[in-house]
Amino acid sequence: MRTERETMFRHVVLLAWTPDATDEQKAAVLTALGTLPGAIPQIRSYAFGADAGVSPGNHDLAIVADFDDAEDYAVYRDHPVHQAVIAERIKPILASRAAVQFEV
Amino acid sequence: MRTERETMFRHVVLLAWTPDATDEQKAAVLTALGTLPGAIPQIRSYAFGADAGVSPGNHDLAIVADFDDAEDYAVYRDHPVHQAVIAERIKPILASRAAVQFEV
């Protein structure tokens, strides 16, 4: 579904943290994610945030990232700065992950 | 994280279908979702789409919906037209659901 502009390739990922994840670890993920738009020029739009806590059973963090096309998404996916955030900040506290990519 | 405009309340949901869900059932969900922005004026932006199939293990459908605030999201969540789509189109083929609401 197109909403505002030309076709984009949107990556949506929802993450849930382990019960023993600390507030510091969760905050470090947000800080690290905030560095990605400056490091990966293929990112056209990047929104993320911790769950607002209004719905029981939710995951804990959402990322919505827009790219020009699937190729630019793949650059982001495999980018070493992104991979470092995953390995160093996300994986140590990751309990569950759900993702979809779709054209908007 | 704010990207383009004033603060919004974003609802992100990822759905996975049962193995026996038919193409017709999956298409009927998309058609039904397309009626919601016209039926629920609290929806400020509504993007959804079937997974592009570029990543193994993904969920099957994403919905990204923006509202002015959590109260408007709650109107959408509980709206009878939305609840009918869930009951009649989504629930019969739903295998898994993940959601996050966050401020953008």
Side-chain angles (χ1 to χ4, degrees):
Chain A
M1 181 183 171
R2 189 172 302 181
T3 50
E4 293 174 51
R5 40 187 170 182
E6 295 303 310
T7 301
M8 295 181 299
F9 191 81
R10 177 166 290 180
H11 167 59
V12 179
V13 60
L14 304 182
L15 306 176
W17 305 135
T18 57
D20 61 341
T22 67
D23 289 345
E24 289 73 16
Q25 287 176 304
K26 298 173 190 177
V29 172
L30 297 175
T31 301
L33 291 175
T35 69
L36 296 184
I40 306 175
Q42 285 79 12
I43 295 174
R44 194 196 271 196
S45 170
Y46 203 72
F48 60 90
D51 182 64
V54 303
S55 304
N58 270 11
H59 277 48
D60 295 306
L61 177 76
I63 304 167
V64 179
D66 289 338
F67 305 89
D68 281 345
D69 50 38
E71 290 68 31
D72 276 6
Y73 160 67
V75 171
Y76 160 82
R77 182 192 62 205
D78 301 334
H79 195 287
V81 176
H82 181 216
Q83 287 295 321
V85 172
I86 294 171
E88 297 167 12
R89 300 299 181 188
I90 293 175
K91 280 278 177 67
I93 60 171
L94 185 63
S96 178
R97 178 186 183 276
V100 162
Q101 293 91 40
F102 67 111
E103 291 195 0
V104 291
Chain B
M1 181 182 171
R2 189 173 303 181
T3 49
E4 292 173 51
R5 40 186 168 181
E6 296 303 310
T7 300
M8 296 181 300
F9 191 82
R10 178 167 288 180
H11 168 60
V12 179
V13 60
L14 304 181
L15 307 176
W17 304 136
T18 56
D20 61 341
T22 67
D23 289 345
E24 289 73 16
Q25 288 176 304
K26 298 174 190 176
V29 171
L30 297 174
T31 301
L33 292 175
T35 68
L36 296 184
I40 306 174
Q42 285 80 9
I43 295 173
R44 194 197 269 195
S45 170
Y46 203 71
F48 60 89
D51 183 64
V54 303
S55 305
N58 271 10
H59 277 47
D60 296 305
L61 176 76
I63 304 168
V64 179
D66 288 339
F67 305 89
D68 282 343
D69 50 38
E71 289 68 30
D72 276 6
Y73 159 68
V75 171
Y76 161 81
R77 182 192 62 206
D78 301 333
H79 195 287
V81 176
H82 180 218
Q83 287 295 321
V85 172
I86 294 171
E88 296 166 14
R89 301 300 181 187
I90 293 176
K91 281 277 176 68
I93 60 170
L94 184 64
S96 178
R97 177 186 184 276
V100 162
Q101 293 90 41
F102 68 110
E103 290 195 359
V104 291

